[in-house]
């Protein structure tokens, strides 16, 4: 069961994520992500957040109150995190975050930090990048020479094997804070098998 969170910040064009929106079992707009979602021509199943950054609160009047979960501005969780948690509580088995690019660095780090959580997104798509959660056996088809960066998102040692990369990961053991920038796909199919831990893979949006 696929859940989508559309959040505030810079987002990809509709053509990039239309298939994901069409395949979603549930779409949640987090705060000003509602503006983005409506600009795509889609309506949310639920709107979540404190609505402090939405373009115009009057937009909410077109939605039934049962579709709006309004939170106070002073809270312990970000709107994006609240939306992700709600989707998992509703039975989603994977969650994709759309938007959240550009803007404040602390907002970017806040979304990135969600990959460390038990209820982590499986993908995050901004206006410039695609970010994938890599755990267990991971396989992705890419154009040859796609630039790939990888970072641990776990408190434990990361040990892995790989194929399809110019610089294999087989002999590496990464601690938190380690990682690899600007690796390159040498084959169309890149495979990573995690012996322990989990990673995020970041690739440029323009390339794939």
């Amino acid at each position: 069961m696929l859940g989508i969170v559309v959040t505030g910040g810079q987002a990809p064009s509709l053509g990039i994520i239309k298939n994901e929106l069409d395949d979603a079992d549930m779409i949640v707009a987090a705060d000003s992500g509602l503006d983005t979602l409506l600009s795509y021509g889609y309506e949310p199943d639920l709107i979540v957040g404190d609505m402090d950054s939405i373009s115009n609160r009057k937009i909410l009047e077109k939605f039934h109150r049962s579709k709006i979960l309004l939170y106070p501005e002073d809270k312990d969780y970000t709107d994006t995190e609240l939306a992700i948690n709600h989707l998992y509580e509703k039975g989603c088995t994977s969650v994709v975050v759309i938007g959240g690019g550009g803007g404040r660095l602390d907002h970017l780090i806040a979304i990135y930090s969600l990959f460390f959580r038990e209820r982590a997104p499986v993908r995050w798509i901004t206006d410039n990048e695609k970010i994938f959660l890599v755990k267990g056996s991971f396989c992705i088809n890419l154009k040859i020479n796609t630039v790939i960066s990888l970072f641990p998102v776990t408190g434990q040692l990361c040990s892995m094997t790989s194929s399809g990369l110019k610089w294999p990961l087989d002999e590496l053991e990464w601690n938190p804070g380690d990682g690899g920038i600007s690796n390159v796909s040498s084959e169309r199919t890149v495979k990573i098998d995690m012996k322990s831990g989990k990673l995020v893979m970041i690739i440029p949006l323009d390339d794939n």
Side-chain angles (χ1 to χ4, degrees), residues 27-182:
I27 301 174
V28 176
D31 204 321
S32 60
L34 178 60
D35 293 320
T36 300
L37 186 61
L38 294 177
S39 75
Y40 289 152
Y42 289 76
E43 291 198 355
D45 297 296
L46 189 70
I47 303 164
V48 173
D50 54 28
M51 304 304 144
D52 66 339
S53 59
I54 195 171
S55 62
N56 189 338
R57 277 183 172 251
K58 288 187 176 181
I59 297 174
L60 299 174
E61 295 175 1
K62 67 179 291 187
F63 298 98
H64 192 274
R65 284 181 295 176
S66 63
K67 283 195 168 188
I68 303 171
L69 286 180
L70 188 62
Y71 287 84
E73 290 188 26
D74 296 332
K75 57 188 185 300
D76 295 326
Y77 304 97
T78 66
D79 295 330
T80 303
E81 185 175 6
L82 290 168
I84 290 172
N85 288 342
H86 182 83
L87 285 169
Y88 279 122
E89 288 166 3
K90 288 296 184 180
C92 289
T93 53
S94 58
V95 173
V96 175
V97 176
I98 294 171
R104 287 168 46 180
L105 178 60
D106 55 341
H107 287 178
L108 293 171
I109 293 173
I111 298 178
Y112 175 78
S113 71
L114 298 176
F115 285 95
F116 287 80
R117 309 292 177 87
E118 183 177 349
R119 290 176 166 178
V122 296
R123 287 187 298 285
W124 174 21
I125 308 171
T126 74
D127 57 327
N128 287 316
E129 303 91 9
K130 287 184 180 179
I131 300 95
F132 298 85
L133 180 64
V134 178
K135 63 179 183 178
S137 293
F138 177 86
C139 181
I140 187 170
N141 293 321
L142 300 170
K143 295 177 183 176
I144 293 176
N145 293 324
T146 296
V147 176
I148 298 170
S149 296
L150 297 153
F151 301 95
V153 283
T154 178
Q156 67 182 105
L157 185 73
C158 284
S159 176
M160 53 268 170
T161 60
S162 69
S163 63
L165 292 173
K166 182 176 181 179
W167 293 284
L169 309 178
D170 298 35
E171 303 300 324
L172 300 177
E173 290 186 335
W174 282 345
N175 289 295
D178 293 334
I181 292 179
S182 299

